[in-house]
mmCIF file of all heavy atoms in Angstrom:
data_model
loop_
_atom_site.group_PDB
_atom_site.id
_atom_site.type_symbol
_atom_site.label_atom_id
_atom_site.label_comp_id
_atom_site.label_asym_id
_atom_site.label_seq_id
_atom_site.Cartn_x
_atom_site.Cartn_y
_atom_site.Cartn_z
ATOM 1 N N GLU A 228 19.547 -3.749 10.920
ATOM 2 C CA GLU A 228 18.587 -2.983 11.701
ATOM 3 C C GLU A 228 18.119 -1.721 10.984
ATOM 4 O O GLU A 228 18.910 -1.042 10.345
ATOM 5 C CB GLU A 228 19.215 -2.566 13.037
ATOM 6 C CG GLU A 228 19.501 -3.728 13.954
ATOM 7 C CD GLU A 228 19.931 -3.245 15.333
ATOM 8 O OE1 GLU A 228 19.064 -2.686 16.038
ATOM 9 O OE2 GLU A 228 21.108 -3.407 15.682
ATOM 10 N N THR A 229 16.829 -1.421 11.135
ATOM 11 C CA THR A 229 16.274 -0.170 10.641
ATOM 12 C C THR A 229 16.123 0.777 11.824
ATOM 13 O O THR A 229 15.570 0.399 12.856
ATOM 14 C CB THR A 229 14.901 -0.419 9.993
ATOM 15 O OG1 THR A 229 15.065 -1.352 8.938
ATOM 16 C CG2 THR A 229 14.315 0.854 9.430
ATOM 17 N N MET A 230 16.653 1.981 11.677
ATOM 18 C CA MET A 230 16.636 2.962 12.772
ATOM 19 C C MET A 230 15.985 4.253 12.303
ATOM 20 O O MET A 230 16.060 4.600 11.129
ATOM 21 C CB MET A 230 18.069 3.315 13.200
ATOM 22 C CG MET A 230 18.907 2.166 13.661
ATOM 23 S SD MET A 230 20.571 2.780 14.071
ATOM 24 C CE MET A 230 21.298 1.233 14.655
ATOM 25 N N HIS A 231 15.390 4.974 13.245
ATOM 26 C CA HIS A 231 14.883 6.313 12.937
ATOM 27 C C HIS A 231 15.325 7.258 14.030
ATOM 28 O O HIS A 231 15.498 6.861 15.183
ATOM 29 C CB HIS A 231 13.360 6.303 12.802
ATOM 30 C CG HIS A 231 12.671 5.659 13.965
ATOM 31 N ND1 HIS A 231 12.357 4.314 14.001
ATOM 32 C CD2 HIS A 231 12.275 6.158 15.155
ATOM 33 C CE1 HIS A 231 11.786 4.027 15.148
ATOM 34 N NE2 HIS A 231 11.725 5.125 15.873
ATOM 35 N N GLY A 232 15.541 8.486 13.665
ATOM 36 C CA GLY A 232 16.001 9.450 14.652
ATOM 37 C C GLY A 232 16.273 10.785 14.023
ATOM 38 O O GLY A 232 15.679 11.140 12.997
ATOM 39 N N VAL A 233 17.181 11.538 14.637
ATOM 40 C CA VAL A 233 17.478 12.909 14.223
ATOM 41 C C VAL A 233 18.944 13.007 13.836
ATOM 42 O O VAL A 233 19.818 12.508 14.551
ATOM 43 C CB VAL A 233 17.135 13.891 15.364
ATOM 44 C CG1 VAL A 233 17.607 15.300 15.028
ATOM 45 C CG2 VAL A 233 15.636 13.884 15.637
ATOM 46 N N VAL A 234 19.192 13.624 12.694
ATOM 47 C CA VAL A 234 20.564 13.795 12.213
ATOM 48 C C VAL A 234 21.190 15.012 12.905
ATOM 49 O O VAL A 234 20.620 16.111 12.880
ATOM 50 C CB VAL A 234 20.584 13.973 10.681
ATOM 51 C CG1 VAL A 234 21.978 14.351 10.190
ATOM 52 C CG2 VAL A 234 20.110 12.687 10.001
ATOM 53 N N VAL A 235 22.328 14.775 13.533
ATOM 54 C CA VAL A 235 23.111 15.852 14.144
ATOM 55 C C VAL A 235 24.540 15.710 13.649
ATOM 56 O O VAL A 235 25.177 14.661 13.873
ATOM 57 C CB VAL A 235 23.083 15.782 15.689
ATOM 58 C CG1 VAL A 235 23.953 16.895 16.279
ATOM 59 C CG2 VAL A 235 21.658 15.887 16.215
ATOM 60 N N ASP A 236 25.006 16.726 12.948
ATOM 61 C CA ASP A 236 26.339 16.674 12.325
ATOM 62 C C ASP A 236 26.440 15.415 11.456
ATOM 63 O O ASP A 236 25.594 15.197 10.604
ATOM 64 C CB ASP A 236 27.433 16.731 13.394
ATOM 65 C CG ASP A 236 27.349 18.020 14.201
ATOM 66 O OD1 ASP A 236 27.006 19.050 13.614
ATOM 67 O OD2 ASP A 236 27.596 17.970 15.424
ATOM 68 N N ASP A 237 27.423 14.582 11.713
ATOM 69 C CA ASP A 237 27.609 13.391 10.882
ATOM 70 C C ASP A 237 27.084 12.127 11.557
ATOM 71 O O ASP A 237 27.536 11.021 11.267
ATOM 72 C CB ASP A 237 29.093 13.214 10.541
ATOM 73 C CG ASP A 237 29.595 14.349 9.658
ATOM 74 O OD1 ASP A 237 28.802 14.853 8.840
ATOM 75 O OD2 ASP A 237 30.765 14.732 9.800
ATOM 76 N N THR A 238 26.107 12.306 12.462
ATOM 77 C CA THR A 238 25.563 11.146 13.169
ATOM 78 C C THR A 238 24.041 11.124 13.106
ATOM 79 O O THR A 238 23.400 12.146 12.866
ATOM 80 C CB THR A 238 25.969 11.155 14.666
ATOM 81 O OG1 THR A 238 25.333 12.265 15.301
ATOM 82 C CG2 THR A 238 27.475 11.235 14.839
ATOM 83 N N LEU A 239 23.476 9.938 13.341
ATOM 84 C CA LEU A 239 22.040 9.815 13.578
ATOM 85 C C LEU A 239 21.856 9.522 15.061
ATOM 86 O O LEU A 239 22.447 8.565 15.589
ATOM 87 C CB LEU A 239 21.433 8.665 12.764
ATOM 88 C CG LEU A 239 19.927 8.501 13.023
ATOM 89 C CD1 LEU A 239 19.117 9.410 12.094
ATOM 90 C CD2 LEU A 239 19.477 7.056 12.862
ATOM 91 N N VAL A 240 21.075 10.357 15.739
ATOM 92 C CA VAL A 240 20.697 10.056 17.118
ATOM 93 C C VAL A 240 19.529 9.075 17.035
ATOM 94 O O VAL A 240 18.458 9.409 16.518
ATOM 95 C CB VAL A 240 20.294 11.333 17.882
ATOM 96 C CG1 VAL A 240 19.959 10.984 19.317
ATOM 97 C CG2 VAL A 240 21.396 12.375 17.798
ATOM 98 N N ASP A 241 19.764 7.878 17.505
ATOM 99 C CA ASP A 241 18.821 6.765 17.369
ATOM 100 C C ASP A 241 17.702 6.911 18.405
ATOM 101 O O ASP A 241 17.935 6.719 19.602
ATOM 102 C CB ASP A 241 19.603 5.453 17.564
ATOM 103 C CG ASP A 241 18.724 4.222 17.555
ATOM 104 O OD1 ASP A 241 17.509 4.341 17.288
ATOM 105 O OD2 ASP A 241 19.270 3.131 17.825
ATOM 106 N N LEU A 242 16.500 7.243 17.960
ATOM 107 C CA LEU A 242 15.392 7.508 18.889
ATOM 108 C C LEU A 242 14.377 6.371 18.938
ATOM 109 O O LEU A 242 13.214 6.573 19.285
ATOM 110 C CB LEU A 242 14.696 8.825 18.503
ATOM 111 C CG LEU A 242 15.520 10.104 18.739
ATOM 112 C CD1 LEU A 242 14.747 11.338 18.262
ATOM 113 C CD2 LEU A 242 15.890 10.263 20.213
ATOM 114 N N ARG A 243 14.819 5.172 18.603
ATOM 115 C CA ARG A 243 13.880 4.043 18.613
ATOM 116 C C ARG A 243 13.287 3.767 19.991
ATOM 117 O O ARG A 243 12.154 3.302 20.109
ATOM 118 C CB ARG A 243 14.578 2.769 18.105
ATOM 119 C CG ARG A 243 14.711 2.731 16.591
ATOM 120 C CD ARG A 243 15.428 1.485 16.147
ATOM 121 N NE ARG A 243 16.806 1.470 16.646
ATOM 122 C CZ ARG A 243 17.638 0.435 16.532
ATOM 123 N NH1 ARG A 243 17.209 -0.682 15.973
ATOM 124 N NH2 ARG A 243 18.870 0.515 16.992
ATOM 125 N N ASP A 244 14.039 4.055 21.052
ATOM 126 C CA ASP A 244 13.510 3.789 22.396
ATOM 127 C C ASP A 244 12.425 4.776 22.805
ATOM 128 O O ASP A 244 11.633 4.494 23.705
ATOM 129 C CB ASP A 244 14.653 3.837 23.431
ATOM 130 C CG ASP A 244 15.533 2.598 23.351
ATOM 131 O OD1 ASP A 244 15.116 1.617 22.686
ATOM 132 O OD2 ASP A 244 16.637 2.621 23.919
ATOM 133 N N SER A 245 12.385 5.932 22.160
ATOM 134 C CA SER A 245 11.440 6.984 22.562
ATOM 135 C C SER A 245 10.270 7.156 21.601
ATOM 136 O O SER A 245 9.189 7.591 22.013
ATOM 137 C CB SER A 245 12.177 8.325 22.681
ATOM 138 O OG SER A 245 13.282 8.215 23.559
ATOM 139 N N TYR A 246 10.477 6.830 20.328
ATOM 140 C CA TYR A 246 9.439 7.063 19.317
ATOM 141 C C TYR A 246 9.323 5.843 18.409
ATOM 142 O O TYR A 246 10.343 5.258 18.014
ATOM 143 C CB TYR A 246 9.757 8.312 18.485
ATOM 144 C CG TYR A 246 9.735 9.566 19.333
ATOM 145 C CD1 TYR A 246 10.907 10.034 19.937
ATOM 146 C CD2 TYR A 246 8.537 10.235 19.569
ATOM 147 C CE1 TYR A 246 10.888 11.164 20.749
ATOM 148 C CE2 TYR A 246 8.510 11.363 20.378
ATOM 149 C CZ TYR A 246 9.685 11.821 20.965
ATOM 150 O OH TYR A 246 9.657 12.934 21.768
ATOM 151 N N ALA A 247 8.090 5.489 18.066
ATOM 152 C CA ALA A 247 7.837 4.252 17.323
ATOM 153 C C ALA A 247 8.397 4.301 15.900
ATOM 154 O O ALA A 247 8.820 3.285 15.352
ATOM 155 C CB ALA A 247 6.340 3.971 17.274
ATOM 156 N N ASP A 248 8.384 5.484 15.308
ATOM 157 C CA ASP A 248 8.892 5.625 13.938
ATOM 158 C C ASP A 248 9.165 7.109 13.660
ATOM 159 O O ASP A 248 8.936 7.964 14.526
ATOM 160 C CB ASP A 248 7.912 5.029 12.910
ATOM 161 C CG ASP A 248 6.509 5.602 13.040
ATOM 162 O OD1 ASP A 248 6.354 6.718 13.573
ATOM 163 O OD2 ASP A 248 5.565 4.927 12.596
ATOM 164 N N SER A 249 9.634 7.388 12.463
ATOM 165 C CA SER A 249 9.986 8.769 12.128
ATOM 166 C C SER A 249 8.763 9.688 12.161
ATOM 167 O O SER A 249 8.869 10.872 12.492
ATOM 168 C CB SER A 249 10.646 8.820 10.745
ATOM 169 O OG SER A 249 9.763 8.322 9.753
ATOM 170 N N VAL A 250 7.606 9.140 11.826
ATOM 171 C CA VAL A 250 6.384 9.958 11.821
ATOM 172 C C VAL A 250 6.035 10.406 13.242
ATOM 173 O O VAL A 250 5.569 11.534 13.458
ATOM 174 C CB VAL A 250 5.216 9.189 11.175
ATOM 175 C CG1 VAL A 250 3.927 10.000 11.247
ATOM 176 C CG2 VAL A 250 5.541 8.849 9.720
ATOM 177 N N ALA A 251 6.283 9.550 14.225
ATOM 178 C CA ALA A 251 5.994 9.921 15.620
ATOM 179 C C ALA A 251 6.879 11.089 16.058
ATOM 180 O O ALA A 251 6.427 11.979 16.800
ATOM 181 C CB ALA A 251 6.198 8.714 16.530
ATOM 182 N N ILE A 252 8.120 11.120 15.575
ATOM 183 C CA ILE A 252 9.006 12.257 15.893
ATOM 184 C C ILE A 252 8.458 13.515 15.225
ATOM 185 O O ILE A 252 8.370 14.589 15.842
ATOM 186 C CB ILE A 252 10.449 11.982 15.412
ATOM 187 C CG1 ILE A 252 10.985 10.668 16.002
ATOM 188 C CG2 ILE A 252 11.370 13.152 15.787
ATOM 189 C CD1 ILE A 252 12.314 10.219 15.386
ATOM 190 N N LEU A 253 8.082 13.381 13.959
ATOM 191 C CA LEU A 253 7.555 14.528 13.204
ATOM 192 C C LEU A 253 6.284 15.072 13.859
ATOM 193 O O LEU A 253 6.099 16.294 13.983
ATOM 194 C CB LEU A 253 7.272 14.093 11.762
ATOM 195 C CG LEU A 253 6.821 15.167 10.788
ATOM 196 C CD1 LEU A 253 7.929 16.185 10.540
ATOM 197 C CD2 LEU A 253 6.386 14.537 9.459
ATOM 198 N N GLU A 254 5.409 14.168 14.289
ATOM 199 C CA GLU A 254 4.178 14.584 14.970
ATOM 200 C C GLU A 254 4.484 15.319 16.264
ATOM 201 O O GLU A 254 3.835 16.315 16.597
ATOM 202 C CB GLU A 254 3.325 13.360 15.302
ATOM 203 C CG GLU A 254 2.418 12.897 14.207
ATOM 204 C CD GLU A 254 1.406 11.884 14.732
ATOM 205 O OE1 GLU A 254 1.777 10.695 14.834
ATOM 206 O OE2 GLU A 254 0.266 12.282 15.041
ATOM 207 N N ALA A 255 5.478 14.824 17.007
ATOM 208 C CA ALA A 255 5.840 15.462 18.281
ATOM 209 C C ALA A 255 6.328 16.884 18.039
ATOM 210 O O ALA A 255 5.887 17.831 18.713
ATOM 211 C CB ALA A 255 6.908 14.639 19.000
ATOM 212 N N VAL A 256 7.203 17.052 17.051
ATOM 213 C CA VAL A 256 7.732 18.393 16.773
ATOM 214 C C VAL A 256 6.603 19.297 16.265
ATOM 215 O O VAL A 256 6.466 20.440 16.709
ATOM 216 C CB VAL A 256 8.883 18.318 15.742
ATOM 217 C CG1 VAL A 256 9.361 19.721 15.366
ATOM 218 C CG2 VAL A 256 10.041 17.486 16.288
ATOM 219 N N SER A 257 5.773 18.767 15.378
ATOM 220 C CA SER A 257 4.676 19.559 14.803
ATOM 221 C C SER A 257 3.657 19.949 15.872
ATOM 222 O O SER A 257 3.019 20.996 15.784
ATOM 223 C CB SER A 257 3.962 18.767 13.710
ATOM 224 O OG SER A 257 4.867 18.345 12.730
ATOM 225 N N GLY A 258 3.498 19.101 16.873
ATOM 226 C CA GLY A 258 2.527 19.358 17.935
ATOM 227 C C GLY A 258 3.066 20.200 19.069
ATOM 228 O O GLY A 258 2.422 20.349 20.110
ATOM 229 N N GLY A 259 4.265 20.730 18.904
ATOM 230 C CA GLY A 259 4.824 21.617 19.918
ATOM 231 C C GLY A 259 5.623 20.926 21.004
ATOM 232 O O GLY A 259 5.967 21.522 22.021
ATOM 233 N N SER A 260 5.909 19.626 20.796
ATOM 234 C CA SER A 260 6.666 18.876 21.798
ATOM 235 C C SER A 260 8.115 18.654 21.365
ATOM 236 O O SER A 260 8.738 17.649 21.732
ATOM 237 C CB SER A 260 5.997 17.523 22.067
ATOM 238 O OG SER A 260 4.677 17.723 22.531
ATOM 239 N N GLY A 261 8.647 19.591 20.620
ATOM 240 C CA GLY A 261 10.039 19.481 20.189
ATOM 241 C C GLY A 261 11.010 19.394 21.351
ATOM 242 O O GLY A 261 12.041 18.720 21.256
ATOM 243 N N ASP A 262 10.670 20.054 22.472
ATOM 244 C CA ASP A 262 11.559 20.002 23.641
ATOM 245 C C ASP A 262 11.701 18.568 24.159
ATOM 246 O O ASP A 262 12.761 18.177 24.645
ATOM 247 C CB ASP A 262 11.019 20.894 24.761
ATOM 248 C CG ASP A 262 11.144 22.365 24.413
ATOM 249 O OD1 ASP A 262 11.804 22.684 23.410
ATOM 250 O OD2 ASP A 262 10.555 23.190 25.153
ATOM 251 N N GLU A 263 10.607 17.807 24.050
ATOM 252 C CA GLU A 263 10.669 16.410 24.514
ATOM 253 C C GLU A 263 11.565 15.577 23.601
ATOM 254 O O GLU A 263 12.258 14.666 24.060
ATOM 255 C CB GLU A 263 9.261 15.805 24.564
ATOM 256 C CG GLU A 263 8.395 16.410 25.655
ATOM 257 C CD GLU A 263 6.941 15.968 25.586
ATOM 258 O OE1 GLU A 263 6.659 14.927 24.943
ATOM 259 O OE2 GLU A 263 6.097 16.684 26.167
ATOM 260 N N VAL A 264 11.548 15.888 22.320
ATOM 261 C CA VAL A 264 12.435 15.181 21.384
ATOM 262 C C VAL A 264 13.886 15.516 21.720
ATOM 263 O O VAL A 264 14.739 14.623 21.795
ATOM 264 C CB VAL A 264 12.114 15.566 19.922
ATOM 265 C CG1 VAL A 264 13.088 14.888 18.964
ATOM 266 C CG2 VAL A 264 10.669 15.206 19.579
ATOM 267 N N VAL A 265 14.149 16.790 21.966
ATOM 268 C CA VAL A 265 15.513 17.211 22.321
ATOM 269 C C VAL A 265 15.958 16.519 23.610
ATOM 270 O O VAL A 265 17.095 16.047 23.718
ATOM 271 C CB VAL A 265 15.586 18.751 22.462
ATOM 272 C CG1 VAL A 265 16.942 19.180 23.022
ATOM 273 C CG2 VAL A 265 15.332 19.412 21.110
ATOM 274 N N ALA A 266 15.044 16.417 24.571
ATOM 275 C CA ALA A 266 15.384 15.751 25.835
ATOM 276 C C ALA A 266 15.707 14.279 25.611
ATOM 277 O O ALA A 266 16.659 13.741 26.176
ATOM 278 C CB ALA A 266 14.228 15.899 26.827
ATOM 279 N N ALA A 267 14.923 13.633 24.754
ATOM 280 C CA ALA A 267 15.163 12.211 24.466
ATOM 281 C C ALA A 267 16.511 12.023 23.759
ATOM 282 O O ALA A 267 17.188 11.004 23.942
ATOM 283 C CB ALA A 267 14.031 11.654 23.607
ATOM 284 N N MET A 268 16.897 13.022 22.980
ATOM 285 C CA MET A 268 18.150 12.913 22.228
ATOM 286 C C MET A 268 19.372 12.877 23.151
ATOM 287 O O MET A 268 20.384 12.263 22.831
ATOM 288 C CB MET A 268 18.275 14.092 21.248
ATOM 289 C CG MET A 268 17.360 13.977 20.041
ATOM 290 S SD MET A 268 17.227 15.515 19.101
ATOM 291 C CE MET A 268 18.901 15.694 18.495
ATOM 292 N N THR A 269 19.284 13.548 24.315
ATOM 293 C CA THR A 269 20.468 13.654 25.183
ATOM 294 C C THR A 269 20.906 12.295 25.718
ATOM 295 O O THR A 269 22.089 12.096 25.995
ATOM 296 C CB THR A 269 20.199 14.597 26.372
ATOM 297 O OG1 THR A 269 19.098 14.073 27.114
ATOM 298 C CG2 THR A 269 19.878 16.005 25.887
ATOM 299 N N SER A 270 19.958 11.374 25.860
ATOM 300 C CA SER A 270 20.307 10.076 26.450
ATOM 301 C C SER A 270 20.271 8.940 25.427
ATOM 302 O O SER A 270 20.299 7.773 25.795
ATOM 303 C CB SER A 270 19.331 9.762 27.592
ATOM 304 O OG SER A 270 18.005 9.787 27.101
ATOM 305 N N SER A 271 20.213 9.286 24.128
ATOM 306 C CA SER A 271 20.083 8.242 23.104
ATOM 307 C C SER A 271 21.408 7.981 22.404
ATOM 308 O O SER A 271 22.239 8.886 22.285
ATOM 309 C CB SER A 271 19.041 8.670 22.068
ATOM 310 O OG SER A 271 17.777 8.802 22.674
ATOM 311 N N PRO A 272 21.611 6.754 21.950
ATOM 312 C CA PRO A 272 22.868 6.426 21.268
ATOM 313 C C PRO A 272 22.966 7.105 19.902
ATOM 314 O O PRO A 272 21.954 7.453 19.302
ATOM 315 C CB PRO A 272 22.794 4.904 21.107
ATOM 316 C CG PRO A 272 21.336 4.581 21.145
ATOM 317 C CD PRO A 272 20.706 5.594 22.033
ATOM 318 N N ARG A 273 24.184 7.270 19.443
ATOM 319 C CA ARG A 273 24.412 7.865 18.120
ATOM 320 C C ARG A 273 25.146 6.873 17.245
ATOM 321 O O ARG A 273 25.943 6.081 17.736
ATOM 322 C CB ARG A 273 25.278 9.124 18.237
ATOM 323 C CG ARG A 273 24.595 10.270 18.939
ATOM 324 C CD ARG A 273 25.483 11.494 18.906
ATOM 325 N NE ARG A 273 24.822 12.637 19.520
ATOM 326 C CZ ARG A 273 24.994 13.902 19.136
ATOM 327 N NH1 ARG A 273 25.818 14.184 18.143
ATOM 328 N NH2 ARG A 273 24.368 14.883 19.743
ATOM 329 N N ILE A 274 24.874 6.955 15.961
ATOM 330 C CA ILE A 274 25.587 6.103 15.014
ATOM 331 C C ILE A 274 26.121 6.981 13.889
ATOM 332 O O ILE A 274 25.453 7.924 13.447
ATOM 333 C CB ILE A 274 24.680 4.961 14.489
ATOM 334 C CG1 ILE A 274 25.474 4.018 13.595
ATOM 335 C CG2 ILE A 274 23.448 5.504 13.768
ATOM 336 C CD1 ILE A 274 24.781 2.691 13.336
ATOM 337 N N ASP A 275 27.319 6.689 13.457
ATOM 338 C CA ASP A 275 27.978 7.459 12.402
ATOM 339 C C ASP A 275 27.211 7.279 11.091
ATOM 340 O O ASP A 275 26.946 6.149 10.670
ATOM 341 C CB ASP A 275 29.421 6.951 12.264
ATOM 342 C CG ASP A 275 30.287 7.898 11.442
ATOM 343 O OD1 ASP A 275 29.746 8.602 10.566
ATOM 344 O OD2 ASP A 275 31.511 7.918 11.691
ATOM 345 N N LEU A 276 26.894 8.389 10.436
ATOM 346 C CA LEU A 276 26.154 8.285 9.169
ATOM 347 C C LEU A 276 26.955 7.545 8.094
ATOM 348 O O LEU A 276 26.380 6.978 7.165
ATOM 349 C CB LEU A 276 25.770 9.681 8.651
ATOM 350 C CG LEU A 276 24.665 10.418 9.411
ATOM 351 C CD1 LEU A 276 24.434 11.785 8.793
ATOM 352 C CD2 LEU A 276 23.371 9.615 9.429
ATOM 353 N N ALA A 277 28.270 7.563 8.212
ATOM 354 C CA ALA A 277 29.098 6.874 7.212
ATOM 355 C C ALA A 277 28.882 5.362 7.249
ATOM 356 O O ALA A 277 29.200 4.669 6.278
ATOM 357 C CB ALA A 277 30.569 7.206 7.445
ATOM 358 N N SER A 278 28.317 4.864 8.343
ATOM 359 C CA SER A 278 28.149 3.412 8.470
ATOM 360 C C SER A 278 26.712 2.960 8.207
ATOM 361 O O SER A 278 26.380 1.798 8.434
ATOM 362 C CB SER A 278 28.580 2.957 9.871
ATOM 363 O OG SER A 278 27.705 3.493 10.850
#
Side-chain angles (χ1 to χ4, degrees):
E228 293 188 69
T229 302
M230 301 178 177
H231 51 269
V233 172
V234 172
V235 178
D236 300 324
D237 294 327
T238 67
L239 179 87
V240 182
D241 176 6
L242 291 178
R243 282 179 296 173
D244 286 347
S245 305
Y246 296 92
D248 54 23
S249 60
V250 176
I252 305 170
L253 185 66
E254 274 192 278
V256 175
S257 304
S260 301
D262 290 350
E263 291 172 19
V264 177
V265 172
M268 286 167 65
T269 59
S270 57
S271 297
R273 292 185 177 213
I274 185 165
D275 194 332
L276 288 179
S278 66

